[in-house]
Amino acid sequence: MLSTEALYQTLKQHMGPQGWWPASTKIEVILGAILVQNTNWRNAELALNALKEETELNPDAICELDEAQLQQLVRSSGFYKNKAKSIHAVLTWLQSYHYDYKAISEAYGESLRNTLLQLRGVGDETADVLLVYIFDRVEFIPDSYTRRIFAKLGYPHTESYKKFKKYITLPEDFTAQDANEFHALLDNFGKNYFNGNDTERYTFLDSYFEK
């Protein structure tokens, strides 16, 4: 069974830097993390582009949209009523701190994850994505592709996000960039391996997988 450190190094060696999250600003990452919930990235990106055309992804401008306007703009991502409310809730909270992510991180310390979970529409996975990609924290993000990979490696407790997160420990010397890269590598490997895309390139873990 590969350790998390060995898995990280193997993925990085074979796949190289992933350059994730696919966004040019942290606000775009936040919006993408909300919009991609329970859908694929294509649908989330359509909603993101609609928001960009209307507001240039200016968070204050998004906060000024009324609920009906915002719902219409994010409709392509599905569950658009809840997502519109979540976007308003998260951006309004950030607005109260003038979008100063470092100040927010320092103010909340170890309680930041629990605080994020109290925001409307922010569940475990979204909270961890925000911690890694917005607040530069070291967190493991055991999304569905990641749990499928670890299950094939013979790890237990992969049936749920919360159970597996409690079970896995990242290497002590992991940096926030390592956490970012590890999530990106796992997710991109999972998308390609399990969906049969470019399969020859993604067989390098086959010898470690339980058949």
Side-chain angles (χ1 to χ4, degrees):
M1 184 188 297
L2 278 178
S3 67
T4 52
E5 174 66 28
L7 177 59
Y8 175 49
Q9 295 301 335
T10 301
L11 289 168
K12 188 163 65 169
Q13 176 185 348
H14 283 270
M15 296 172 63
Q18 299 300 292
W20 260 32
W21 190 281
S24 56
T25 67
K26 289 197 170 188
I27 288 295
E28 190 171 352
V29 174
I30 293 164
L31 293 169
I34 295 170
L35 292 169
V36 79
Q37 293 172 4
N38 301 305
T39 192
N40 57 50
W41 181 250
R42 180 179 176 277
N43 292 336
E45 191 172 30
L46 287 172
L48 200 56
N49 288 339
L51 276 171
K52 188 179 293 187
E53 186 174 338
E54 181 70 23
T55 67
E56 298 183 345
L57 300 188
N58 180 310
D60 292 324
I62 295 172
C63 286
E64 289 174 4
L65 294 171
D66 65 37
E67 197 167 291
Q69 286 177 299
L70 186 52
Q71 286 178 10
Q72 188 58 37
L73 289 170
V74 304
R75 194 181 188 94
S76 66
S77 67
F79 302 96
Y80 60 94
K81 292 182 179 179
N82 287 334
K83 289 181 181 180
K85 289 176 181 177
S86 179
I87 288 169
H88 264 151
V90 173
L91 293 188
T92 299
W93 179 71
L94 291 171
Q95 188 182 54
S96 68
Y97 290 92
H98 308 291
Y99 312 101
D100 189 334
Y101 307 107
K102 183 178 179 181
I104 293 171
S105 185
E106 290 175 351
Y108 285 95
E110 293 303 310
S111 68
L112 180 55
R113 188 175 192 274
N114 286 334
T115 301
L116 291 172
L117 288 171
Q118 293 170 21
L119 297 173
R120 184 184 183 109
V122 176
D124 288 297
E125 185 175 336
T126 303
D128 289 333
V129 166
L130 297 182
L131 287 171
V132 171
Y133 291 94
I134 304 302
F135 298 104
D136 301 320
R137 299 286 186 94
V138 178
E139 289 285 342
F140 182 52
I141 307 172
D143 61 19
S144 59
Y145 281 125
T146 293
R147 297 199 310 277
R148 288 176 70 182
I149 294 167
F150 276 90
K152 285 187 72 66
L153 289 169
Y155 279 78
H157 310 302
T158 57
E159 65 272 14
S160 80
Y161 191 101
K162 288 184 178 181
K163 279 187 178 181
F164 198 55
K165 185 173 176 67
K166 288 179 181 178
Y167 180 77
I168 287 293
T169 302
L170 293 176
E172 289 185 4
D173 61 349
F174 247 40
T175 64
Q177 182 55 40
D178 287 327
N180 176 318
E181 196 67 55
F182 195 29
H183 172 243
L185 287 164
L186 287 163
D187 216 52
N188 281 333
F189 178 91
K191 285 175 183 175
N192 286 283
Y193 185 89
F194 293 112
N195 294 330
N197 301 327
D198 194 11
T199 51
E200 289 187 6
R201 185 184 169 202
Y202 291 92
T203 57
F204 58 87
L205 287 183
D206 275 353
S207 61
Y208 299 101
F209 284 159
E210 292 193 345
K211 304 301 181 183

